[in-house]
Amino acid sequence: MDKKKVAVPLVCHGHSRPVVDLFYSPITPDGFFLISASKDSSPMLRNGETGDWIGTFEGHKGAVWSCCLDTNALRAASASADFSAKVWDALSGDELHSFEHKHIVRACAFSEDTHLLLTGGMEKILRIFDLNRPDAPPREVDRSPGSVRTVAWLHSDQTILSSCTDMGGVRLWDVRSGKIVQTLETKSSVTSAEVSQDGRYITTADGSTVKFWDANHFGLVKSYNMPCTVESASLEPKYGNKFIAGGEDMWVHVFDFHTGDEIACNKGHHGPVHCVRFSPGGESYASGSEDGTIRIWQTGPLTLDDSEAITANGSTAKAKVTAEEVSRKVEDLQIADEGKTKEKGEAGNN
């Protein structure tokens, strides 16, 4: 049997308390970004590819439980134990709005069109704030049956989903009517709910199971038992052929989506893993832990087929660069002298 290679992640320090939520922006003209929420009250923004720190959003006076970026990564939002949700300018770090609540805010999410912010928490009320009219009172959706743990938008902002801290199930609400239209039944409380990038699946983690639901017809597609209690799960966005899960055992597990078989197991955190998320291109994934660190793991040694497929799609710059380097070396071998002279000339021009 082949000896498994030990994955070496990028380790991102900076938080002084546990990291409890992670969120990747979509790919923007400036690349993609990763925002992290921590009990240290200071969400941090990083370059999603390198993990390099960009800035810290300062202003909360309690643990930050949830964070997100809008579609263009121009604004950030955070939900906190200081009874507020804040919206920030992601370029300057300035606080744009602070929405006061009457209890701890556990979850927040920007609508796809970036005009609305959805919040939920201990008050058991889902609120929708209009960011074009931040001073207007929010719209309150019908009361949630329990304390809200996660929220998300789907169906082009026509539906919202939420899960509760103290009961199982994911509830789907029609935004126009404000009523629950469907409940996805789970035994345990759902600690993580993610809508896949293509809008096909809802990935949930409850207790020691990860489930995949059809996001349009709401049927259960797959359910896999995990080796331990998991707190978070995420589906690979490009091909949808693998998923990651993290939880109590401090490891980040990678599984085959179709069979549920474990493909890899990444060790390195020194405390339970609270959140895992795939980057928007699927080439890496991040984990946040009780140990206060974020670790960014490469999705794995690309097979030839994978790298060819990715190069063909033109979605990974690294694969393209490698292909260019290879072809350049081949050219150099074929016409060594001419190639070298040409390269020197090019270098001189630069």
Side-chain angles (χ1 to χ4, degrees), residues 251-321:
W251 300 341
V252 182
H253 302 269
V254 187
F255 299 93
D256 184 293
F257 172 75
H258 301 289
T259 64
D261 295 339
E262 186 168 306
I263 304 167
C265 176
N266 299 315
K267 303 176 183 183
H269 281 298
H270 302 293
V273 176
H274 294 308
C275 42
V276 291
R277 285 292 177 260
F278 262 106
S279 67
E283 66 282 344
S284 60
Y285 48 95
S287 54
S289 163
E290 183 74 17
D291 66 16
T293 67
I294 299 160
R295 288 168 194 258
I296 298 175
W297 313 81
Q298 295 311 303
T299 297
L302 290 170
T303 63
L304 190 60
D305 297 348
D306 273 349
S307 64
E308 279 174 0
I310 289 173
T311 312
N313 292 340
S315 59
T316 303
K318 281 180 190 166
K320 286 196 283 189
V321 169

Side-chain angles (χ1 to χ4, degrees), residues 88-107:
W88 314 81
D89 182 318
L91 301 178
S92 67
D94 296 336
E95 183 182 308
L96 299 176
H97 314 294
S98 185
F99 299 119
E100 298 309 312
H101 293 62
K102 294 186 181 70
H103 211 313
I104 291 168
V105 194
R106 279 301 296 260

Side-chain angles (χ1 to χ4, degrees), residues 14-90:
H15 286 296
S16 56
R17 298 285 314 283
V19 177
V20 289
D21 194 27
L22 292 170
F23 184 95
Y24 276 106
S25 76
I27 296 167
T28 74
D30 300 315
F32 61 93
F33 302 91
L34 175 66
I35 187 171
S36 53
S38 166
K39 290 185 186 177
D40 67 8
S41 81
S42 302
M44 288 187 181
L45 185 68
R46 296 175 186 276
N47 176 310
E49 192 172 0
T50 63
D52 291 342
W53 176 84
I54 294 170
T56 302
F57 300 102
E58 293 177 340
H60 277 299
K61 293 181 170 60
V64 175
W65 286 107
S66 173
C67 58
C68 57
L69 293 161
D70 71 7
T71 313
N72 309 308
L74 297 176
R75 288 177 299 184
S78 51
S80 171
D82 66 8
F83 294 16
S84 77
K86 293 184 188 289
V87 176
W88 314 81
D89 182 318

Side-chain angles (χ1 to χ4, degrees), residues 152-165:
W153 297 83
L154 61 164
H155 303 152
S156 305
D157 303 333
Q158 292 172 24
T159 311
I160 52 182
L161 68 77
S162 74
S163 72
C164 298
T165 357

Side-chain angles (χ1 to χ4, degrees), residues 108-344:
C108 60
F110 281 108
S111 59
E112 203 179 310
D113 67 11
T114 75
H115 298 314
L116 307 171
L117 182 73
L118 170 64
T119 67
M122 300 289 211
E123 279 183 87
K124 306 182 181 180
I125 298 171
L126 293 167
R127 289 187 174 89
I128 298 173
F129 294 88
D130 184 340
L131 299 175
N132 296 323
R133 299 184 305 132
D135 298 328
R139 183 177 156 207
E140 294 189 358
V141 180
D142 204 18
R143 280 182 75 83
S144 164
S147 174
V148 178
R149 171 72 187 254
T150 63
V151 295
W153 297 83
L154 61 164
H155 303 152
S156 305
D157 303 333
Q158 292 172 24
T159 311
I160 52 182
L161 68 77
S162 74
S163 72
C164 298
T165 357
D166 37 13
M167 62 180 68
V170 171
R171 280 146 211 89
L172 293 130
W173 314 70
D174 181 295
V175 172
R176 278 168 296 187
S177 70
K179 299 288 178 221
I180 296 175
V181 289
Q182 188 81 27
T183 301
L184 312 179
E185 299 292 350
T186 65
K187 279 200 185 91
S188 309
S189 162
V190 170
T191 49
S192 161
E194 174 193 73
V195 180
S196 66
Q197 204 168 276
D198 59 10
R200 282 179 64 194
Y201 296 111
I202 299 166
T203 305
T204 61
D206 74 288
S208 56
T209 64
V210 172
K211 295 182 174 69
F212 299 92
W213 310 81
D214 184 315
N216 298 305
H217 305 291
F218 307 125
L220 180 62
V221 180
K222 291 186 183 297
S223 177
Y224 294 122
N225 290 322
M226 297 287 108
C228 69
T229 300
V230 291
E231 205 170 319
S232 185
S234 182
L235 180 63
E236 194 278 328
K238 265 281 182 284
Y239 305 108
N241 56 359
K242 55 176 79 101
F243 68 95
I244 48 173
E248 274 183 0
D249 66 1
M250 310 187 208
W251 300 341
V252 182
H253 302 269
V254 187
F255 299 93
D256 184 293
F257 172 75
H258 301 289
T259 64
D261 295 339
E262 186 168 306
I263 304 167
C265 176
N266 299 315
K267 303 176 183 183
H269 281 298
H270 302 293
V273 176
H274 294 308
C275 42
V276 291
R277 285 292 177 260
F278 262 106
S279 67
E283 66 282 344
S284 60
Y285 48 95
S287 54
S289 163
E290 183 74 17
D291 66 16
T293 67
I294 299 160
R295 288 168 194 258
I296 298 175
W297 313 81
Q298 295 311 303
T299 297
L302 290 170
T303 63
L304 190 60
D305 297 348
D306 273 349
S307 64
E308 279 174 0
I310 289 173
T311 312
N313 292 340
S315 59
T316 303
K318 281 180 190 166
K320 286 196 283 189
V321 169
T322 316
E324 284 166 17
E325 283 172 0
V326 169
S327 60
R328 202 176 298 141
K329 279 176 186 162
V330 171
E331 282 168 17
D332 284 354
L333 284 171
Q334 286 170 342
I335 37 170
D337 295 330
E338 281 178 42
K340 279 172 189 164
T341 319
K342 191 177 165 193
E343 276 183 16
K344 274 179 192 163

